[in-house]
Amino acid sequence: MVKRDREELVNAVPNKRLRKTLPDRLSALSDELVLVLLSYLPINDLIRCEQLSRRLRTLASDSQLWKAAYYERFVRPRAARIPGLRDTSTSDRSLVYSSKLSKWLDDGYLVKRGGATNWKRQYRLRHNWSRGSCKRTETEIAPKPSIPPILVHLHDGVAVTADGAAGLRAWSMQSNQSLIATLAWEPDDHSSKATPTSLALDCSSTSTSDLCISVGFSNGSFGVYVLDRRKQSLARRYLHAPSTNGKLGQIACLSSYIATLTEAQLLSVYRFPDPGEKAPDQKTVGQPQLLCSLKSYTTWPPLSLILRRSSIGITTSIAYAMPTYTSGWSVGLQELQLSPDGAVLQSRLATAIGYDPAFPSGSAHRLSPPSPDPNSSMFHTPLFKSSASSAKPTSLSYTHPYLLAGHSDNTLTLYMVTSNMEQLIIGPGNLLCGHTASVSGAHIGDRGKAVSVSMDGRDLRVWELEGGMASGAGRRRVPWSETSVSVRSEANCEQDCRVAKKGSRGNDYTTLMGHLHTQEAVASNGWLSFDEEHVIMLGEKRQGQQALVVYNFA
């Protein structure tokens, strides 16, 4: 046997088994073909593809992919739930995604934006809403409680607050709740001697720079203000004279119309001149015209006042609570229809306990019916069965066609309102369960979404109202437990984890929980509002500080 040289053994390279590499066929495909392949992937796999390479990251983030995914998950199921939309279709192909022919419903404005819409961001936003996932922050806005309480409203990323001490303020929700504009009540007018009691924002304006604000005061007057977002300034446009009818408990504004409701239940509807017709100083609007005024003697709070456009003009609606002899409390609705030139067409009312022929729909001399006769057949033959709570409502919110009432027994009641040229009907109530404490506030937004909060401020729930209503004959009713989700912020989840870890060590659990409850703000008066990305409510800490609690779903 031949011996190998030592140097030859050292320099010898051992033979390695070569790995068998598969050919990279994906890189050879064009971007168009890769996009077609990615369109068949589930969302989770699509997100994983973004981590493979720069090319796949760019392609997996393509706007058209996320646009189709947004439609399939959020628009198409909603279109199938709306009564009459799918029932009248000859086939299901009318709801299949198409870049040009799809029915986008209320999300059509996202399509009209074109390339300005980030469909991936919109998908993530709606996904967070569906899971109740958000980030919770607090911003202190007053060192002590205000009497009457601070008023809060939110629209398009801007929160507006009004109180007697700090005046009118605007806060941006996009930059850590920073104060962008403030306006003190002027000392030379009567608004400085009164406190704000009602607040409304005009959400119908298409302007991206100006936001119209209406404020009602305790002396019966009201003012119109404009927020210039570009200049970040607030300016007063009109101030109405005080009234002897009492403070304004409700106010609503829509374009050039304003509706006010005093504490004495006096409804007044005003119309301002056209926006192009300004006063001689070019800084204010002209004197409004009083279109009508109605008085009620049989309405009980809570109340909800709205203005909305209809096929015949402008409709003013008032939702109110009303007691009944046999079934506790119920709700009623009054509608006042106005023509485009401001003429009163008709005033009609409806209640959730049924329609009473003694009160015709054309009655225009009262806002709500008087107490019904206990001998009436309405008390012996119910018109329909309802699962509504009989407890007195703690809050009311009406956005056509949904009327939502919160109760002290941890429940809410949803009513569907039918309003057309022939009739006004409030359907039977549907009970919504899920809260663990008394409901202090509820608010209905666009696309059938509602948010409610408990009295202690720790139980915030998001409701998809369209999912629980029967939308056609033979269609399966969706349980309410599947149409609501409890909001869980990132801060709460982290605190729960720390509590779980320390809970095994004994007394640290009680100490930490007490510390968390001390730091968190609690709801004070049920003021609640939300837009596409945020939910805000007025909170009060144990030391009395007033805080703006913001839930960011973006």
Side-chain angles (χ1 to χ4, degrees):
M1 182 176 181
V2 180
K3 294 184 179 181
R4 301 181 62 181
D5 188 22
R6 183 178 180 87
E7 182 178 357
E8 182 180 356
L9 293 176
V10 173
N11 296 331
V13 179
N15 295 328
K16 293 184 178 181
R17 180 178 297 178
L18 298 178
R19 292 184 178 181
K20 185 178 181 182
T21 58
L22 299 177
D24 184 6
R25 297 187 176 91
L26 188 62
S27 300
L29 299 179
S30 63
D31 291 347
E32 290 77 9
L33 292 178
V34 176
L35 285 175
V36 173
L37 297 178
L38 294 177
S39 65
Y40 291 97
L41 295 180
I43 294 299
N44 293 336
D45 295 339
L46 190 62
I47 296 176
R48 293 189 184 97
C49 289
E50 296 181 358
Q51 306 173 4
L52 298 179
S53 66
R54 293 182 180 179
R55 184 195 180 199
L56 285 179
R57 180 179 181 85
T58 301
L59 295 178
S61 301
D62 186 78
S63 181
Q64 289 299 321
L65 289 178
W66 291 97
K67 181 180 179 180
Y70 182 95
Y71 179 86
E72 290 295 332
R73 180 175 177 184
F74 301 112
V75 180
R76 183 179 180 182
R78 179 170 177 256
R81 292 196 301 263
I82 295 180
L85 183 59
R86 182 177 177 180
D87 296 340
T88 58
S89 303
T90 56
S91 65
D92 292 342
R93 293 183 176 273
S94 59
L95 298 181
V96 175
Y97 171 76
S98 171
S99 59
K100 296 182 179 180
L101 303 178
S102 298
K103 298 178 180 179
W104 286 90
L105 306 178
D106 295 339
D107 294 296
Y109 71 98
L110 296 174
V111 182
K112 294 180 180 179
R113 291 179 183 175
T117 301
N118 187 337
W119 288 102
K120 183 179 179 181
R121 183 179 184 277
Q122 291 295 328
Y123 186 97
R124 181 173 62 249
L125 177 63
R126 294 291 297 273
H127 173 76
N128 291 340
W129 274 102
S130 64
R131 294 175 57 88
S133 176
C134 63
K135 180 180 180 181
R136 183 180 184 271
T137 58
E138 298 178 6
T139 301
E140 184 176 329
I141 59 177
K144 59 182 181 180
S146 174
I147 301 177
I150 300 175
L151 307 177
V152 182
H153 253 294
L154 175 68
H155 174 63
D156 198 15
V158 175
V160 178
T161 62
D163 63 282
L168 191 64
R169 293 178 290 178
W171 308 77
S172 174
M173 298 291 101
Q174 306 298 333
S175 55
N176 298 325
Q177 295 81 55
S178 60
L179 182 64
I180 60 175
T182 181
L183 179 65
W185 312 123
E186 300 180 10
D188 57 344
D189 57 39
H190 48 265
S191 65
S192 62
K193 303 177 183 179
T195 53
T197 55
S198 55
L199 175 68
L201 306 182
D202 185 6
C203 303
S204 64
S205 176
T206 57
S207 175
T208 57
S209 59
D210 295 340
L211 178 62
C212 184
I213 306 169
S214 299
V215 182
F217 295 93
S218 59
N219 60 359
S221 65
F222 66 89
V224 179
Y225 305 84
V226 174
L227 169 65
D228 191 330
R229 299 185 184 182
R230 297 177 181 175
K231 299 181 180 179
Q232 296 187 352
S233 62
L234 281 164
R236 192 186 70 187
R237 290 292 182 260
Y238 174 78
L239 184 64
H240 196 270
S243 172
T244 58
N245 297 310
K247 70 177 183 180
L248 298 183
Q250 297 284 332
I251 190 170
C253 57
L254 178 68
S255 186
S256 58
Y257 293 85
I258 283 187
T260 62
L261 185 63
T262 67
E263 194 177 35
Q265 313 305 332
L266 176 64
L267 171 68
S268 301
V269 182
Y270 301 87
R271 185 181 65 174
F272 284 90
D274 295 335
E277 301 177 7
K278 291 186 177 181
D281 58 4
Q282 296 297 319
K283 295 182 180 181
T284 61
V285 295
Q287 189 76 14
Q289 175 189 1
L290 178 62
L291 301 179
C292 65
S293 182
L294 299 176
K295 176 72 174 180
S296 171
Y297 299 94
T298 53
T299 57
W300 286 264
L303 305 170
S304 179
L305 175 65
I306 67 167
L307 283 170
R308 63 181 180 89
R309 298 188 184 276
S310 60
S311 58
I312 59 176
I314 299 295
T315 300
T316 305
S317 302
I318 305 172
Y320 55 89
M322 57 178 298
T324 60
Y325 289 123
T326 59
S327 59
W329 286 81
S330 185
V331 297
L333 183 65
Q334 174 80 19
E335 274 194 356
L336 182 65
Q337 296 181 345
L338 305 175
S339 64
D341 58 357
V344 179
L345 299 179
Q346 65 174 338
S347 176
R348 54 188 184 175
L349 55 90
T351 64
I353 57 177
Y355 173 76
D356 191 345
F359 310 123
S361 60
S363 174
H365 63 279
R366 55 178 176 263
L367 293 183
S368 64
S371 299
D373 183 6
N375 297 323
S376 173
S377 61
M378 180 174 60
F379 290 90
H380 304 286
T381 306
L383 299 181
F384 44 68
K385 293 183 179 181
S386 175
S387 61
S389 173
S390 60
K392 182 180 179 180
T394 57
S395 65
L396 274 180
S397 179
Y398 176 50
T399 299
H400 189 74
Y402 303 103
L403 175 58
L404 187 63
H407 305 283
S408 58
D409 58 358
N410 308 354
T411 63
L412 298 98
T413 304
L414 174 66
Y415 303 89
M416 289 292 293
V417 178
T418 301
S419 177
N420 50 43
M421 295 295 296
E422 294 78 19
Q423 59 186 356
L424 174 65
I425 299 176
I426 302 179
N430 294 275
L431 198 63
L432 280 64
C433 302
H435 276 282
T436 58
S438 173
V439 179
S440 64
H443 180 70
I444 303 176
D446 298 331
R447 295 186 295 271
K449 181 185 296 180
V451 175
S452 59
V453 63
S454 61
M455 190 69 68
D456 57 7
R458 306 183 192 281
D459 188 8
L460 187 71
R461 299 193 72 86
V462 179
W463 304 84
E464 292 292 343
L465 304 181
E466 290 179 345
M469 306 305 298
S471 56
R475 187 169 299 178
R476 183 183 67 90
R477 181 184 178 86
V478 181
W480 285 114
S481 58
E482 300 179 9
T483 60
S484 70
V485 61
S486 179
V487 174
R488 300 288 294 172
S489 62
E490 295 178 359
N492 291 342
C493 294
E494 294 176 359
Q495 291 169 356
D496 290 344
C497 293
R498 294 198 298 268
V499 168
K501 293 179 180 179
K502 289 183 175 291
S504 59
R505 301 181 182 180
N507 296 331
D508 290 342
Y509 179 85
T510 305
T511 304
L512 183 59
M513 287 299 293
H515 175 70
L516 295 179
H517 290 178
T518 303
Q519 295 298 322
E520 287 189 356
V522 296
S524 56
N525 292 286
W527 290 106
L528 187 70
S529 184
F530 70 95
D531 59 7
E532 290 187 354
E533 299 182 4
H534 308 88
V535 175
I536 64 171
M537 68 178 183
L538 182 63
E540 180 178 345
K541 297 185 178 181
R542 292 183 180 269
Q543 295 80 7
Q545 301 94 330
Q546 302 293 299
L548 200 62
V549 184
V550 181
Y551 297 86
N552 188 351
F553 289 83

